[in-house]
Amino acid sequence: DTAVSQTPKYLVTQMGNDKSIKCEQNLGHDTMYWYKQDSKKFLKIMFSYNNKELIINETVPNRFSPKSPDKAHLNLHINSLELGDSAVYFCASSRQGAGLNTEAFFGQGTRLTVV
Amino acid sequence: AQSVAQPEDQVNVAEGNPLTVKCTYSVSGNPYLFWYVQYPNRGLQFLLKYITGDNLVKGSYGFEAEFNKSQTSFHLKKPSALVSDSALYFCAVRDGTGRRALTFGSGTRLQVQP
């Protein structure tokens, strides 16, 4: 009964490849996010979707493309992977309709290593 | 733009002693403040939040945080530290302008020595 689940947990791939990370939440939330945690543990927002609509798109390379087939899923596709993309990627969700005071729930993270 | 500062990269405390992890913030409008904890190779777990009302907020695992508007601070505290509290702690803020994503501080590693 995991609330926010990401797959895969670990991903090792070569430069230039295209890969996807999947995220699903069973909390009934209407807003989902992707965060990137770098090697220094700094967390930065990448994207946010509300009811399948993109509402936040930070300065992320075009090689990163989120896709939300429905409110419960937010997948992250990465094209032409580069060494600098190596990081831990966290999916999260929250309930926007309740206002700004709702906490976000995070997945376990996907550790991406580009070699 | 909103921002969060955690001035200490690491805090060391002996088991049984009180602990404080510092956080200051900068937002436009009313702040909505959160603390999360991250254990090794795990996701972030929500600890507590301040929205409005009482400046002392109680959360999970015996943690509490004190909101101080004049000092724009939201320090995390616990009266008696446990070795199992050793982890990475993140302060986060969501401003009142409608942007939904949390802005996180750089994290503070708490090391509790037995």
Side-chain angles (χ1 to χ4, degrees), chain A residues 3-23:
Chain A
V4 182
S5 60
Q6 299 177 226
T7 54
K9 190 172 181 180
Y10 300 97
L11 183 54
V12 181
T13 187
Q14 291 186 327
M15 284 176 55
N17 283 352
D18 303 337
K19 290 294 179 184
S20 295
I21 306 172
K22 294 185 177 181
C23 179

Side-chain angles (χ1 to χ4, degrees), chain B residues 55-66:
Chain B
N55 289 344
L56 186 63
V57 179
K58 293 189 184 298
S60 306
Y61 312 121
F63 283 92
E64 56 190 28
E66 187 169 10

Side-chain angles (χ1 to χ4, degrees), chain A residues 35 37 100-104, chain B residues 36 38 49 94 100 102:
Chain A
Y35 284 84
Q37 186 174 45
L100 295 168
N101 61 351
T102 55
E103 60 271 26
Chain B
Y36 284 82
Q38 184 179 22
K49 64 183 177 184
R94 179 187 282 142
R100 298 292 167 178
L102 296 169

Side-chain angles (χ1 to χ4, degrees), chain B:
Chain B
Q2 59 196 37
S3 64
V4 178
Q6 293 181 242
E8 303 153 316
D9 289 337
Q10 180 155 326
V11 170
N12 298 310
V13 64
E15 188 174 30
N17 283 359
L19 68 88
T20 299
V21 182
K22 295 180 180 177
C23 171
T24 59
Y25 66 90
S26 174
V27 296
S28 53
N30 294 321
Y32 298 85
L33 297 156
F34 304 79
W35 274 101
Y36 284 82
V37 60
Q38 184 179 22
Y39 296 100
N41 300 316
R42 302 290 297 275
L44 279 76
Q45 296 178 32
F46 169 74
L47 278 179
L48 50 80
K49 64 183 177 184
Y50 171 81
I51 305 303
T52 186
D54 195 348
N55 289 344
L56 186 63
V57 179
K58 293 189 184 298
S60 306
Y61 312 121
F63 283 92
E64 56 190 28
E66 187 169 10
F67 172 68
N68 188 316
K69 187 173 183 178
S70 62
Q71 297 184 3
T72 60
S73 67
F74 189 55
H75 300 331
L76 181 70
K77 301 183 179 186
K78 188 173 183 180
S80 179
L82 300 172
V83 172
S84 57
D85 292 330
S86 298
L88 189 57
Y89 290 81
F90 289 95
C91 182
V93 65
R94 179 187 282 142
D95 70 22
T97 62
R99 178 182 162 91
R100 298 292 167 178
L102 296 169
T103 297
F104 284 88
S106 54
T108 298
R109 188 165 300 281
L110 173 66
Q111 195 68 39
V112 181
Q113 285 118 6

Side-chain angles (χ1 to χ4, degrees), chain A residues 5 8 20 46 52 63 80 83 94 111:
Chain A
S5 60
S20 295
M46 299 174 69
K52 298 170 40 181
R63 300 181 294 102
S80 303
L83 292 177
S94 67
R111 183 175 296 277

